[in-house]
Amino acid sequence: MKRPSVFSHPQLVLEWSRKRLPDIPDTVAKELCTLVDNFKRLRDRLIGLGIEREEKFYRFVPDRHQCAVCQHHCYLSCVRCRCSPRRHYCMLHFDKCEACPPQSKRLSESADFREFIEMWARATSVRG
């Protein structure tokens, strides 16, 4: 039996950063940078394949925003397909919805992602 994670790693990093402002520890700042870099790399790959970004931001709902493949909590983003709009996929498993071409898929970003980027900008500006 495969159990989904209890917490989303990006969610934990963001919560920790919120509590520690303005003095985000170096380890958390590095983790923020790693998460943002990975997110941007994956997002650019998806967009390059023809997946469109949705304009609106969603609010993270743990039970509703889980990857249909790995059960990962899609805290920062998820990919949805027109053929099954209620199913969500993380950016690593977007291709598991094989019924539709990439142009039929949409990348949604959470409202918390904007705050995540702001935390990342603060962390990197303080450290130079």
Side-chain angles (χ1 to χ4, degrees), residues 18-77:
R18 284 178 183 148
K19 291 177 182 176
R20 296 301 302 244
L21 276 177
D23 300 317
I24 299 173
D26 286 341
T27 53
V28 176
K30 287 177 186 174
E31 191 60 28
L32 273 169
C33 291
T34 300
L35 288 169
V36 169
D37 288 344
N38 287 340
F39 179 86
K40 287 180 178 181
R41 181 180 45 79
L42 289 168
R43 181 186 61 193
D44 291 346
R45 178 176 163 233
L46 296 179
I47 292 170
L49 291 171
I51 295 174
E52 294 182 27
R53 289 172 68 188
E54 288 187 326
E55 294 296 320
K56 62 182 179 179
F57 289 88
Y58 70 89
R59 271 289 158 204
F60 175 71
V61 179
D63 294 338
R64 202 171 59 199
H65 293 103
Q66 285 185 342
C67 177
V69 176
C70 67
Q71 304 305 309
H72 172 78
H73 293 290
C74 299
Y75 182 69
L76 294 179
S77 65

Side-chain angles (χ1 to χ4, degrees), residues 81-110:
C81 190
R82 286 187 185 154
C83 71
S84 54
R86 293 184 184 262
R87 294 188 82 183
H88 299 84
Y89 299 89
C90 68
M91 289 196 291
L92 295 174
H93 295 117
F94 76 94
D95 58 342
K96 299 302 181 196
C97 179
E98 300 168 349
C100 296
Q103 296 77 13
S104 295
K105 295 177 174 68
R106 299 288 176 263
L107 173 64
S108 300
E109 295 173 351
S110 75

